[in-house]
Amino acid sequence: MTSQAADGPETVAASRRSKITPEREREFFDAVLEQIRECGYDSVTMDGVAASTRCSKSTLYRQWKTKPQFVAAALRANRRVRFVGIDTGSLAEDLREVARAAGDWSHKDTKTLQALGQAVTSDEELAKALREALVEPEIAALQDILRRGVERGEVPEGHAALDYVPAMMFGVLRVRPVLTGEYADAGYLVRFVEAVVLPALGLT
Amino acid sequence: MTSQAADGPETVAASRRSKITPEREREFFDAVLEQIRECGYDSVTMDGVAASTRCSKSTLYRQWKTKPQFVAAALRANRRVRFVGIDTGSLAEDLREVARAAGDWSHKDTKTLQALGQAVTSDEELAKALREALVEPEIAALQDILRRGVERGEVPEGHAALDYVPAMMFGVLRVRPVLTGEYADAGYLVRFVEAVVLPALGLT
DNA sequence: CTGTACCGGTACTCGGCCGTATCGGTACAG
DNA sequence: CTGTACCGATACGGCCGAGTACCGGTACAG
C-alpha cells in the first residue's frame, strides 16, 4: 500500500461504463454554452457542437435525448455557488466585494441569461435549470449577506430598501449592455453600490 | 394652392401607389409585435403574420424585403415618446409618476425587449430600430426629468446617484420577471422609487 | 366599358436543423 | 487472439420556414 498507490497522470478508468470521461463531458457543456452566448439558443445546432468538439452527433444523442435536455444538463453542470466566502464582517464591504466579484463573470452570465431568456418560454425543464443555475444561487447568496448585516444591527430589520437590493444589483447588471452597449465591470458596479445601494440602506 | 387642399375625411389616395392604408399597415405591425412578444422572434413566421391579419405573404414581401426589415419597420412605427407631459414641478413626484406610467406598459415593452434581445445580435438594422424605439426615448425622457430637478436645485448637480437612475429604473423593470416570474406593476415600482431612488438622491 | 395594377391565395424551391440509422474503427475483457 | 461495446463519421428522413412565382379577382382611371 506504499508503492502501489499510483496516483500518477494515468488515472485508472476501468469502472466507467461510458467512455465519455467527465472532462470530455465538460468540454461538451462548455462548447454548447459558449456557442449559446455567442449566437443564441436557436442558432446553436447539435451539428455545430459536435463539430467544434470533434465528436459525433450520435455521441451527443446517446447521452442526452434532445437539444433542450442537453442544454439543461450543461446548465446544471455549470451551477456553482456564487459570492462564496464573502463575509468581511461589514455589510458595506460585503456589498462592494459582491460588486467586484460580479464584475468578473457578469459578461458570461448576462449573455447566457439574455440568450436563453427566450428559449425558456417553450421548455419548462430548461427554464428550471436556468433559474437554478444562474438566478437562485446568486439571489440566495446576496440575501445571506443582507441577513448577516441585519443580524449585526447594521441595518434595521424590515428596512424598506432591503427587499430591492437583489433586483437592483441584477437589474443594473443585466440592463447595462442594453443601455450603453458595454457590460458592467467591477468599477461600475462598485460605484453603483457606493452611490445608490449604501445610501438607500442608510449606510451613508 | 388655396382651395385645392382637400383635407376631408376621404383623403385623396390618388397619389398612393400601394393600396395598403396606414391603418392596415398598423394592423400588420401590431400583429407581428404581438406574436413576437408571445412566442419570440424566431418562432414568428411571415406565414403566421399573414394568416392572423388575413393578408397574403406576397403582400408583406411586396412592402418589405425581408423578415428583419419588416420587424424593424414595425418597431419604428411603434416608436413614440414615453413619459410625455410628466412635469409636476417636483422631482420626487415626477419619479413616482414615471413609476406609475411605466407600470402600465412595462409588460409589453419588457416582453418585446426580451424577445428581440437575442435577434438583434445578428441584424444591425433591427438592433438600431429596437434601441430607437424602446430604449433611447425612455432614457432621454427620464434624463430630462432629472435635469429639471437639478435645475430647480432639488438635487446638487453632479450627484453621484444621478447617473444610475435610468439603469436602476429599467434594470428593476426588466429583471423582475426573471427573479419572481411576475412583471413589475405600478405599485412595486412606486415603492421602489420611495425606498431606493429618492433616498439615494438625498430626497429623504 | 376597358385596361392596369395591386391584392389575396396557393404552390413551389431552397436550405437548414432535429433526430435516427448504419457502418467501420478501436479499445478493452477474457 | 477473439468478441463486445462504444466512439466517430456519414447519410438519410422528415419537417419547417424564408422568399419566389403565378393566377384569378377587383377596384379605380380614362
Side-chain angles (χ1 to χ4, degrees):
Chain A
M1 34 172 43
T2 51
S3 58
Q4 72 193 22
D7 48 25
E10 58 279 356
T11 319
V12 185
S15 61
R16 281 196 64 81
R17 231 181 307 274
S18 165
K19 294 178 182 172
I20 308 279
T21 65
E23 292 75 18
R24 184 74 169 132
E25 198 179 62
R26 192 56 181 235
E27 290 181 34
F28 298 154
F29 291 160
D30 287 346
V32 69
L33 292 181
E34 177 58 30
Q35 291 184 26
I36 283 175
R37 281 186 284 263
E38 206 67 22
C39 321
Y41 177 83
D42 284 310
S43 299
V44 167
T45 69
M46 298 294 266
D47 292 85
V49 175
S52 71
T53 55
R54 281 183 301 281
C55 82
S56 165
K57 209 166 46 156
S58 319
T59 304
L60 298 180
Y61 278 106
R62 265 189 285 265
Q63 306 288 330
W64 303 278
K65 305 209 169 194
T66 67
K67 174 180 167 183
Q69 285 182 20
F70 173 46
V71 174
L75 286 172
R76 276 190 289 266
N78 201 45
R79 176 174 44 181
R80 76 199 82 170
V81 181
R82 317 283 180 174
F83 309 135
V84 63
I86 294 184
D87 190 2
T88 65
S90 149
L91 179 53
E93 192 50 34
D94 276 2
L95 289 175
R96 286 190 204 97
E97 202 60 38
V98 165
R100 278 187 281 266
D104 292 339
W105 39 257
S106 73
H107 315 287
K108 292 178 67 173
D109 285 3
T110 299
K111 277 185 186 173
T112 308
L113 270 168
Q114 173 78 20
L116 288 175
Q118 183 49 51
V120 296
T121 63
S122 59
D123 189 299
E124 190 49 45
E125 181 187 356
L126 199 55
K128 186 157 172 279
L130 185 64
R131 279 196 309 271
E132 292 178 355
L134 291 182
V135 178
E136 289 168 4
E138 303 172 351
I139 298 297
L142 194 47
Q143 282 173 341
D144 272 356
I145 287 173
L146 293 170
R147 183 184 44 74
R148 287 198 297 268
V150 170
E151 288 173 354
R152 283 191 300 261
E154 300 184 59
V155 174
E157 191 169 352
H159 190 293
L162 277 173
D163 293 336
Y164 294 99
V165 172
M168 283 167 60
M169 295 291 295
F170 290 101
V172 168
L173 209 61
R174 281 206 55 195
V175 105
R176 182 86 196 288
V178 178
L179 298 188
T180 69
E182 303 163 14
Y183 286 93
D185 59 357
Y188 175 83
L189 290 172
V190 170
R191 286 194 301 274
F192 172 69
V193 166
E194 308 241 344
V196 173
V197 181
L198 299 186
L201 287 172
L203 294 173
T204 307
Chain B
M1 27 171 58
T2 51
S3 58
Q4 72 195 19
D7 47 25
E10 60 279 352
T11 320
V12 186
S15 61
R16 282 194 63 82
R17 237 178 304 273
S18 162
K19 294 178 183 171
I20 308 281
T21 66
E23 292 75 19
R24 183 73 170 133
E25 199 180 59
R26 193 57 180 235
E27 289 181 36
F28 297 154
F29 291 160
D30 287 346
V32 69
L33 292 180
E34 177 59 30
Q35 290 185 26
I36 282 175
R37 282 188 283 264
E38 205 70 20
C39 322
Y41 177 83
D42 284 312
S43 299
V44 167
T45 69
M46 297 295 265
D47 292 85
V49 175
S52 71
T53 55
R54 281 183 299 282
C55 81
S56 165
K57 209 166 44 155
S58 320
T59 304
L60 298 180
Y61 277 106
R62 265 190 285 265
Q63 306 287 330
W64 303 278
K65 304 207 170 197
T66 66
K67 174 179 167 182
Q69 285 182 19
F70 173 46
V71 175
L75 285 171
R76 276 190 289 266
N78 201 45
R79 176 174 45 179
R80 77 199 82 172
V81 181
R82 317 281 179 172
F83 309 138
V84 63
I86 294 184
D87 190 3
T88 65
S90 150
L91 179 54
E93 192 51 33
D94 276 1
L95 289 174
R96 286 189 203 96
E97 202 60 37
V98 164
R100 278 187 281 266
D104 292 339
W105 40 256
S106 74
H107 315 288
K108 290 178 68 172
D109 286 3
T110 300
K111 277 186 186 171
T112 308
L113 271 167
Q114 172 79 21
L116 288 174
Q118 183 50 51
V120 297
T121 63
S122 59
D123 189 298
E124 189 49 46
E125 182 187 355
L126 199 55
K128 185 159 172 277
L130 185 64
R131 279 197 307 273
E132 292 178 355
L134 291 183
V135 178
E136 290 169 3
E138 303 172 350
I139 299 298
L142 194 48
Q143 282 173 341
D144 271 356
I145 287 173
L146 293 170
R147 183 183 44 75
R148 288 199 297 267
V150 170
E151 287 173 356
R152 283 191 301 260
E154 299 185 58
V155 175
E157 191 170 353
H159 190 294
L162 277 174
D163 294 334
Y164 294 99
V165 172
M168 283 166 63
M169 294 291 296
F170 291 102
V172 168
L173 210 60
R174 282 207 53 195
V175 105
R176 183 87 197 287
V178 178
L179 298 188
T180 69
E182 304 164 11
Y183 285 91
D185 59 358
Y188 176 84
L189 289 173
V190 170
R191 285 193 301 275
F192 173 69
V193 166
E194 309 241 345
V196 173
V197 182
L198 299 185
L201 287 172
L203 294 173
T204 309

Coordinates of all heavy atoms in Angstrom, one line a residue, chain A residues 46 57-58 61 67, chain C residues 17-21:
Chain A
M46 N -26.9 21.1 -32.9 CA -26.2 19.9 -32.4 C -25.0 19.6 -33.3 O -23.9 19.2 -32.8 CB -27.1 18.7 -32.3 CG -28.3 19.0 -31.3 SD -27.7 19.2 -29.6 CE -27.9 17.5 -29.0
K57 N -22.4 13.6 -33.6 CA -23.7 13.9 -33.2 C -24.3 12.7 -32.5 O -25.1 12.9 -31.5 CB -24.6 14.3 -34.4 CG -25.7 15.3 -34.0 CD -26.3 16.0 -35.2 CE -26.6 15.0 -36.4 NZ -27.6 15.5 -37.2
S58 N -24.0 11.5 -32.9 CA -24.5 10.3 -32.3 C -24.1 10.3 -30.8 O -24.9 9.9 -30.0 CB -24.0 9.1 -33.0 OG -24.0 9.3 -34.4
Y61 N -26.3 12.4 -28.8 CA -27.7 11.9 -28.7 C -27.7 10.6 -27.9 O -28.8 10.2 -27.5 CB -28.4 11.7 -30.1 CG -28.9 13.0 -30.6 CD1 -28.3 13.7 -31.6 CD2 -30.1 13.6 -30.0 CE1 -28.9 14.9 -32.1 CE2 -30.6 14.7 -30.5 CZ -30.0 15.4 -31.5 OH -30.5 16.6 -32.0
K67 N -32.1 18.3 -27.7 CA -31.3 19.5 -27.6 C -31.6 20.3 -26.3 O -30.7 20.6 -25.5 CB -31.5 20.4 -28.8 CG -30.9 21.8 -28.7 CD -31.1 22.6 -30.0 CE -30.7 24.0 -29.8 NZ -31.0 24.8 -31.0
Chain C
dC17 P -28.4 25.2 -39.5 OP1 -27.9 26.4 -38.8 OP2 -27.4 24.3 -40.2 O5' -29.2 24.3 -38.5 C5' -30.4 24.8 -38.0 C4' -31.3 23.6 -37.5 O4' -31.8 22.9 -38.7 C3' -30.5 22.5 -36.7 O3' -31.2 22.2 -35.5 C2' -30.4 21.3 -37.7 C1' -31.7 21.5 -38.4 N1 -31.8 20.8 -39.8 C2 -32.9 20.0 -40.1 O2 -33.8 19.9 -39.3 N3 -32.9 19.3 -41.2 C4 -31.8 19.5 -42.1 N4 -31.9 18.8 -43.2 C5 -30.7 20.3 -41.8 C6 -30.7 20.9 -40.6
dC18 P -30.4 21.5 -34.3 OP1 -30.3 22.4 -33.2 OP2 -29.3 20.8 -34.9 O5' -31.5 20.4 -33.9 C5' -32.9 20.8 -33.8 C4' -33.8 19.6 -33.9 O4' -33.8 19.1 -35.3 C3' -33.4 18.4 -33.1 O3' -34.6 17.8 -32.4 C2' -32.8 17.4 -34.1 C1' -33.5 17.7 -35.4 N1 -32.8 17.5 -36.6 C2 -33.3 16.6 -37.6 O2 -34.3 16.0 -37.4 N3 -32.5 16.4 -38.7 C4 -31.4 17.0 -38.9 N4 -30.7 16.7 -40.0 C5 -30.8 17.9 -37.9 C6 -31.6 18.1 -36.8
dG19 P -34.4 17.0 -31.1 OP1 -35.6 17.1 -30.3 OP2 -33.1 17.4 -30.4 O5' -34.2 15.6 -31.6 C5' -35.4 15.0 -32.3 C4' -34.9 13.8 -33.2 O4' -34.1 14.3 -34.3 C3' -34.1 12.7 -32.4 O3' -34.9 11.6 -32.4 C2' -32.8 12.6 -33.3 C1' -33.2 13.2 -34.6 N9 -32.1 13.7 -35.4 C8 -31.2 14.6 -35.1 N7 -30.3 14.8 -36.0 C5 -30.7 14.0 -37.1 C6 -30.2 13.8 -38.4 O6 -29.2 14.3 -38.9 N1 -30.9 12.8 -39.1 C2 -32.0 12.2 -38.6 N2 -32.6 11.3 -39.5 N3 -32.6 12.4 -37.4 C4 -31.9 13.3 -36.7
dT20 P -34.3 10.1 -32.0 OP1 -35.3 9.4 -31.4 OP2 -33.0 10.4 -31.3 O5' -33.9 9.5 -33.4 C5' -34.9 9.4 -34.4 C4' -34.4 8.4 -35.5 O4' -33.4 9.1 -36.3 C3' -33.8 7.1 -35.0 O3' -34.4 6.1 -35.8 C2' -32.3 7.3 -35.3 C1' -32.3 8.3 -36.5 N1 -31.1 9.1 -36.5 C2 -30.4 9.2 -37.7 O2 -30.6 8.5 -38.7 N3 -29.2 10.0 -37.7 C4 -28.8 10.8 -36.6 O4 -27.8 11.5 -36.7 C5 -29.7 10.7 -35.4 C7 -29.3 11.5 -34.2 C6 -30.7 9.9 -35.4
dA21 P -33.9 4.6 -35.5 OP1 -35.1 3.7 -35.6 OP2 -33.2 4.5 -34.2 O5' -32.9 4.2 -36.6 C5' -33.3 4.6 -38.0 C4' -32.2 4.2 -38.9 O4' -31.1 5.2 -39.0 C3' -31.5 2.9 -38.6 O3' -31.3 2.1 -39.8 C2' -30.2 3.3 -38.0 C1' -29.9 4.6 -38.7 N9 -29.1 5.6 -38.0 C8 -29.2 5.9 -36.7 N7 -28.3 6.8 -36.3 C5 -27.6 7.1 -37.4 C6 -26.5 7.9 -37.6 N6 -26.0 8.7 -36.7 N1 -25.9 7.9 -38.9 C2 -26.4 7.1 -39.8 N3 -27.5 6.3 -39.7 C4 -28.0 6.3 -38.5

